Amino acid sequence: MSEHTTQTATPILSVRQLKKHYGGKKPLFGPAPNPLRAVDGISFDVIEGETFGIVGESGCGKTTLGRCIARALEPTDGQMLYRPKDEKEPVDLARLKGKALRPYRLDVQMIFQDPISSLNPRMTLLDIIGEPMIVNGLAKGAEVKRRVGELLERVGLRADHMSRYPHAFSGGQRQRIGIARALALNPRVIVCDEPVSALDVSVQAQILNLLQDLQTEQNLTYLFIAHDLGVVEYLCDRVAVMYVGEIVELSDTERLFDKPLHPYTEALMSAVPEANPYSVRQPKILEGDLANAVNRPDGCHFHPRCSYCVNRCRTEEPQLRELEPGRWVRCHRAEELSLSGASDTLVEGVEA
Amino acid sequence: MLPYVAKRSVQMLVTVFVISIIAFIVIQLPPGDFVNSYLATLSGGQIVTQDAVAALRAQFGLDDNLAVQYFKWITNLLQGNMGISFQYQRTVIDLLSERLPLTLAITIPTAFFVYAVSIPIGIYSAVRQYSPLDYVFSLVGFIGLAVPNFLFAIIMIYVTSRYFGGNVGGLFSPQYELAPWSIGKVLDMMQNMSIAILIIGTSGTAATIRVMRGMLLDELSQAYVETARAKGLSEWRLIMKYPVRVAISPVLSTIGFTLPALISGTEITATVLNLPTTGPLLLNAVRSQDMFLAASIIFVLSILTVIGTFISDLLLVWADPRIKL
Amino acid sequence: MTQMVDERVANMPPPADAAEGVSNRIISPTRLMWWKFKKHKLAVASGIFLILAYLATIFAGFVSPYDPASRSNNLYAPPQGIHFKDAEGNFHLQPFVYGYEMTRDLDTLRPVYTTDTDEIYPLRLFVQGESYRLFGLFDADIHLFGVEDGYVHLAGTDDFGRDMLSRLVYGAQISLSVGIISVLLSLVLGLVIGGISGLYGGMIDSFIQRVIEAIIAIPTIPLWLGLAAAVPRDWPPVYQYFAILAVLSLISWTSTARVARGRFLALREQDFVTAAKVYGASQPRIIRKHLVPNLMSYVIVTLTLAVPNIIIGETALSFLGVGLKPPTVSWGVLLQEAQSVQIVQFYPWIWIGPALCVILVVLAFNFVGDGARDAADPFSR
């Protein structure tokens, strides 16, 4: 899986200094409040055909980031340079609106976490999966029916299910329907927003395998948002770790799990339950809550919860820097610390 | 607390502003302007000089456009000049100060009656869900919901005259009507008022019981109740200490809906029972298109409900710190 | 009883988690709602009652034994009882009513009626009687029931000897239609205003919210009175009818608007709406295909619960003499008679009839609304 990372190919998507702030508008009276910085200056490249993971606790802004990229939300600032198939010049998706954005909407689709709320309960599968094609003028009438049937079979359901409503399906099946809807427009990039975290473990593996198969078949690029590190290690080529709207570590999966560079990453990994009963690993418990995205701590935003915190961390905000080729970290003490990674049992745990 | 009071006050002023516009619309809606209707209602014997007519027109700016008219009306209103009732040939403020106290004297006790009766019943119905008494209360509640105030008043008149030979209606019984004030007269008045309170309160009670019962049922199914029970807290203490306290504040905050409904009920019940509140006055005003009087009554009653809601909101915040300031 | 249980089992939706094969029955969400609604027996019974009531208003001429305006010599006659056994104890297969004997109380000059057991008028179905126009189109003279000679006043008569039952049926035409039509008006107003409020948010939203708050703060009946005052007295009845409709709906849209706004806000955040946005569905399309179908059930519940208020409103306004006026017949107009203490005391059937109708209909709408509220969200347990 790691062969993608060594490619020198131009990225399909380059995110630069992306920001999404909420509120902070000056009210009629009084001073403007601090905005909620859900995503605050994030930059990374995604290479065609890879699976790029984004992990973090809930509330860290990873879902907002995914929604900005799929343009379900309008970013406050920054660029999202997307390189369309037959065009040399990248387009900035963050700048486009309405009609101008439409052609590129086809290329970037989304899969959601909640299998219940992601499907309109008042529509049949035919309508749910067919609507994207009709809206974008890709198919009409019987053609829609034929293609919906194909898509349903492709994701492991039966074509004759298309006249049913979502409530007749289980969580895993519903997730397959969501995938079929995302595939309806033949996208190149799919933002997967925790697509398996609401499912049973046995069903999770099926869905993950389906996603992998589809990726190889159609050369899809995934932006995979998750909080479950096991899933990330299994599926992703590269991973970005997010904390209160910023990337704190970015690396290829193998090296990240072997030896993380950021204390937050280490803490996340130690929280993963181990399948090995003889393990002597001491879990690092994260003290306190996720920092407030409205009033973030001074210095390193992670310092109040960090067990390696020194004075410098309290006052000086660290920058994201490349420590080794392809490994980025936002920590003053990254060189001196020797952090422990996750054990290998994780991978087996998911595949079982 | 103070920022909340300030914010809520601004909100209240906006609401009052919108209400004043609605009241102004009520004045404007009937065809013809009010000086003409005024002249039309005058009997032949009275003579109004051209100057007097012109002065009236100027005072209320009847020859200006609507915005100016509204502005003049509202400034007059804020200075306590609510115009003249042509039907009664008196100032509106005069008539209101005569009638409004009784409206309040009926509505305010009714509000207390509603909550004092419905909260205990609601608690009982929730705790003893599906018990015979719960069904009885539910039935009574439904009937209270379905019988409009004025029908209930008619039924009361019928039942008392038919089976008790008594007389319902009026603020005083005939023997006290012209009598000077005495303890007997006061008691008689309170008795007549209490019938009104019972009538108006019943439908408010019915609705509030339903809310209280529903809220408490939701609360009783929470896990913390189970925990407290497992820890061995006695049932009634447990219920009164936590779930009731949680359930009661949303119930009390329904006052924003209850208060206008109670005033509505007071007005219509008073016309049936012939109590000298603003109700019969409003009805007369409406019947003879005495619009300044009608709109002023509507405006003042609405302001009263807004203020009542405001006060109860503040009390609620003061009593329950969980409510977001 | 067992049959009922079986039926319920048969109606249960198939287990949704069936891993492979999903049952072959296709069940729409509407169907699920119907199943859930059917569980409330009282709601179903009330629904049937309301359907019958509305049918009766459509076929008012046929259902009522007389024309509501035709007078008779039986002034202030009390309701006749329906009998099967006559005075001699003979059983009649066909029910009948007795005739009246009217005398006047010489002190009070009030008419006093005694039943005359010699006059027996058998009740018949589909009798020929006074002619009427059905749907305003066809002339007809067949009535659902009646007597061939003599008279039948099952709900008594009023001061002009008019048959109260016929007046109640014709009154229902006005009172029940006012409820439905003005609720439809408030549906349109509420959906549009609430939708705008929920979709656009910001200044528009807070302005609309303030207006709604103001309307809620104004006591309803006084405001209705104030608005009704504007209806010119000399307007023909049809105009007055629509004017009163408008007055009633001008206030009742607020509850629909609040519900619509709340649902719009909640639905906007649902992932399927985000998905539609991501694949490029236009705003109007999202509203039409994704938002409105999902909030309609909630709106319908609010509307069902709003109908009783409208009916009470019409009744109250007409009762107070500022709503509809005779010769229009509505339950409120009939109740105007109860302004007189004489009638309240001595001729109770004149007001008990319309009062009972109002109460029953209001109760029925409340029960249906309660059942519908449970069914509105068919996926909750």
Side-chain angles (χ1 to χ4, degrees), chain B residues 138-157:
Chain B
S138 294
L139 186 74
V140 173
F142 265 120
I143 290 171
L145 209 64
V147 183
N149 286 311
F150 74 96
L151 268 186
F152 197 10
I154 296 172
I155 294 169
M156 288 293 275
I157 293 177

mmCIF file of all heavy atoms in Angstrom, chain B residues 138-157:
data_model
loop_
_atom_site.group_PDB
_atom_site.id
_atom_site.type_symbol
_atom_site.label_atom_id
_atom_site.label_comp_id
_atom_site.label_asym_id
_atom_site.label_seq_id
_atom_site.Cartn_x
_atom_site.Cartn_y
_atom_site.Cartn_z
ATOM 1 N N SER B 138 -57.218 12.706 32.961
ATOM 2 C CA SER B 138 -57.065 12.855 31.518
ATOM 3 C C SER B 138 -58.394 13.213 30.877
ATOM 4 O O SER B 138 -58.475 14.096 30.017
ATOM 5 C CB SER B 138 -56.541 11.561 30.881
ATOM 6 O OG SER B 138 -55.255 11.303 31.322
ATOM 7 N N LEU B 139 -59.441 12.524 31.317
ATOM 8 C CA LEU B 139 -60.771 12.776 30.767
ATOM 9 C C LEU B 139 -61.192 14.210 31.058
ATOM 10 O O LEU B 139 -61.615 14.949 30.166
ATOM 11 C CB LEU B 139 -61.763 11.781 31.364
ATOM 12 C CG LEU B 139 -63.158 11.866 30.754
ATOM 13 C CD1 LEU B 139 -63.153 11.263 29.365
ATOM 14 C CD2 LEU B 139 -64.178 11.156 31.635
ATOM 15 N N VAL B 140 -61.042 14.606 32.338
ATOM 16 C CA VAL B 140 -61.393 15.973 32.718
ATOM 17 C C VAL B 140 -60.565 16.954 31.908
ATOM 18 O O VAL B 140 -61.072 17.964 31.416
ATOM 19 C CB VAL B 140 -61.154 16.180 34.233
ATOM 20 C CG1 VAL B 140 -61.350 17.650 34.602
ATOM 21 C CG2 VAL B 140 -62.101 15.305 35.038
ATOM 22 N N GLY B 141 -59.303 16.612 31.728
ATOM 23 C CA GLY B 141 -58.421 17.471 30.953
ATOM 24 C C GLY B 141 -58.913 17.637 29.536
ATOM 25 O O GLY B 141 -58.943 18.740 29.004
ATOM 26 N N PHE B 142 -59.316 16.529 28.918
ATOM 27 C CA PHE B 142 -59.793 16.605 27.542
ATOM 28 C C PHE B 142 -61.048 17.448 27.449
ATOM 29 O O PHE B 142 -61.219 18.244 26.527
ATOM 30 C CB PHE B 142 -60.055 15.202 26.989
ATOM 31 C CG PHE B 142 -58.887 14.668 26.227
ATOM 32 C CD1 PHE B 142 -58.251 13.508 26.620
ATOM 33 C CD2 PHE B 142 -58.408 15.345 25.111
ATOM 34 C CE1 PHE B 142 -57.163 13.028 25.918
ATOM 35 C CE2 PHE B 142 -57.322 14.867 24.407
ATOM 36 C CZ PHE B 142 -56.698 13.701 24.813
ATOM 37 N N ILE B 143 -61.930 17.283 28.419
ATOM 38 C CA ILE B 143 -63.156 18.069 28.385
ATOM 39 C C ILE B 143 -62.838 19.543 28.585
ATOM 40 O O ILE B 143 -63.351 20.411 27.883
ATOM 41 C CB ILE B 143 -64.154 17.538 29.440
ATOM 42 C CG1 ILE B 143 -64.645 16.167 28.978
ATOM 43 C CG2 ILE B 143 -65.322 18.495 29.617
ATOM 44 C CD1 ILE B 143 -65.452 15.414 29.983
ATOM 45 N N GLY B 144 -61.912 19.817 29.510
ATOM 46 C CA GLY B 144 -61.496 21.193 29.719
ATOM 47 C C GLY B 144 -60.936 21.795 28.447
ATOM 48 O O GLY B 144 -61.113 22.976 28.160
ATOM 49 N N LEU B 145 -60.253 20.928 27.672
ATOM 50 C CA LEU B 145 -59.653 21.388 26.426
ATOM 51 C C LEU B 145 -60.721 21.660 25.376
ATOM 52 O O LEU B 145 -60.592 22.554 24.550
ATOM 53 C CB LEU B 145 -58.714 20.296 25.934
ATOM 54 C CG LEU B 145 -57.516 20.684 25.104
ATOM 55 C CD1 LEU B 145 -56.582 21.532 25.936
ATOM 56 C CD2 LEU B 145 -56.813 19.429 24.626
ATOM 57 N N ALA B 146 -61.788 20.851 25.411
ATOM 58 C CA ALA B 146 -62.757 20.890 24.318
ATOM 59 C C ALA B 146 -63.900 21.864 24.562
ATOM 60 O O ALA B 146 -64.570 22.258 23.625
ATOM 61 C CB ALA B 146 -63.328 19.498 24.078
ATOM 62 N N VAL B 147 -64.134 22.228 25.814
ATOM 63 C CA VAL B 147 -65.251 23.131 26.086
ATOM 64 C C VAL B 147 -64.731 24.557 26.141
ATOM 65 O O VAL B 147 -63.991 24.913 27.042
ATOM 66 C CB VAL B 147 -65.943 22.764 27.417
ATOM 67 C CG1 VAL B 147 -67.141 23.669 27.649
ATOM 68 C CG2 VAL B 147 -66.377 21.319 27.410
ATOM 69 N N PRO B 148 -65.095 25.376 25.168
ATOM 70 C CA PRO B 148 -64.620 26.757 25.186
ATOM 71 C C PRO B 148 -65.172 27.493 26.401
ATOM 72 O O PRO B 148 -66.253 27.162 26.901
ATOM 73 C CB PRO B 148 -65.178 27.363 23.897
ATOM 74 C CG PRO B 148 -65.868 26.284 23.170
ATOM 75 C CD PRO B 148 -65.945 25.083 24.020
ATOM 76 N N ASN B 149 -64.410 28.487 26.863
ATOM 77 C CA ASN B 149 -64.778 29.232 28.066
ATOM 78 C C ASN B 149 -66.208 29.717 28.071
ATOM 79 O O ASN B 149 -66.923 29.568 29.052
ATOM 80 C CB ASN B 149 -63.860 30.444 28.195
ATOM 81 C CG ASN B 149 -62.488 30.047 28.627
ATOM 82 O OD1 ASN B 149 -62.331 29.301 29.589
ATOM 83 N ND2 ASN B 149 -61.486 30.492 27.912
ATOM 84 N N PHE B 150 -66.622 30.288 26.932
ATOM 85 C CA PHE B 150 -67.948 30.910 26.964
ATOM 86 C C PHE B 150 -69.047 29.864 27.064
ATOM 87 O O PHE B 150 -70.064 30.080 27.712
ATOM 88 C CB PHE B 150 -68.139 31.839 25.753
ATOM 89 C CG PHE B 150 -68.352 31.138 24.446
ATOM 90 C CD1 PHE B 150 -69.620 30.914 23.964
ATOM 91 C CD2 PHE B 150 -67.268 30.697 23.707
ATOM 92 C CE1 PHE B 150 -69.814 30.277 22.758
ATOM 93 C CE2 PHE B 150 -67.452 30.060 22.501
ATOM 94 C CZ PHE B 150 -68.732 29.845 22.026
ATOM 95 N N LEU B 151 -68.794 28.674 26.464
ATOM 96 C CA LEU B 151 -69.780 27.599 26.596
ATOM 97 C C LEU B 151 -69.852 27.119 28.036
ATOM 98 O O LEU B 151 -70.930 26.863 28.584
ATOM 99 C CB LEU B 151 -69.374 26.416 25.715
ATOM 100 C CG LEU B 151 -69.937 26.392 24.310
ATOM 101 C CD1 LEU B 151 -69.569 25.091 23.638
ATOM 102 C CD2 LEU B 151 -71.442 26.538 24.374
ATOM 103 N N PHE B 152 -68.661 27.021 28.647
ATOM 104 C CA PHE B 152 -68.606 26.603 30.037
ATOM 105 C C PHE B 152 -69.395 27.594 30.902
ATOM 106 O O PHE B 152 -70.151 27.188 31.804
ATOM 107 C CB PHE B 152 -67.136 26.540 30.464
ATOM 108 C CG PHE B 152 -66.886 25.757 31.720
ATOM 109 C CD1 PHE B 152 -67.880 24.981 32.291
ATOM 110 C CD2 PHE B 152 -65.648 25.794 32.330
ATOM 111 C CE1 PHE B 152 -67.650 24.259 33.448
ATOM 112 C CE2 PHE B 152 -65.406 25.078 33.486
ATOM 113 C CZ PHE B 152 -66.413 24.320 34.050
ATOM 114 N N ALA B 153 -69.250 28.870 30.588
ATOM 115 C CA ALA B 153 -69.985 29.889 31.347
ATOM 116 C C ALA B 153 -71.488 29.707 31.174
ATOM 117 O O ALA B 153 -72.252 29.786 32.146
ATOM 118 C CB ALA B 153 -69.546 31.281 30.892
ATOM 119 N N ILE B 154 -71.913 29.432 29.932
ATOM 120 C CA ILE B 154 -73.343 29.231 29.702
ATOM 121 C C ILE B 154 -73.829 28.019 30.489
ATOM 122 O O ILE B 154 -74.893 28.045 31.127
ATOM 123 C CB ILE B 154 -73.617 29.039 28.198
ATOM 124 C CG1 ILE B 154 -73.262 30.310 27.431
ATOM 125 C CG2 ILE B 154 -75.074 28.676 27.965
ATOM 126 C CD1 ILE B 154 -73.319 30.136 25.931
ATOM 127 N N ILE B 155 -73.017 26.958 30.450
ATOM 128 C CA ILE B 155 -73.403 25.743 31.171
ATOM 129 C C ILE B 155 -73.533 26.040 32.665
ATOM 130 O O ILE B 155 -74.482 25.608 33.327
ATOM 131 C CB ILE B 155 -72.383 24.619 30.915
ATOM 132 C CG1 ILE B 155 -72.446 24.206 29.439
ATOM 133 C CG2 ILE B 155 -72.658 23.412 31.810
ATOM 134 C CD1 ILE B 155 -71.321 23.308 28.994
ATOM 135 N N MET B 156 -72.588 26.840 33.186
ATOM 136 C CA MET B 156 -72.661 27.181 34.603
ATOM 137 C C MET B 156 -73.945 27.948 34.923
ATOM 138 O O MET B 156 -74.598 27.698 35.943
ATOM 139 C CB MET B 156 -71.450 28.034 35.006
ATOM 140 C CG MET B 156 -70.143 27.285 35.060
ATOM 141 S SD MET B 156 -70.093 26.071 36.381
ATOM 142 C CE MET B 156 -69.570 27.108 37.725
ATOM 143 N N ILE B 157 -74.277 28.901 34.045
ATOM 144 C CA ILE B 157 -75.514 29.668 34.267
ATOM 145 C C ILE B 157 -76.708 28.722 34.297
ATOM 146 O O ILE B 157 -77.571 28.783 35.183
ATOM 147 C CB ILE B 157 -75.694 30.723 33.153
ATOM 148 C CG1 ILE B 157 -74.603 31.770 33.259
ATOM 149 C CG2 ILE B 157 -77.073 31.357 33.231
ATOM 150 C CD1 ILE B 157 -74.659 32.809 32.155
#
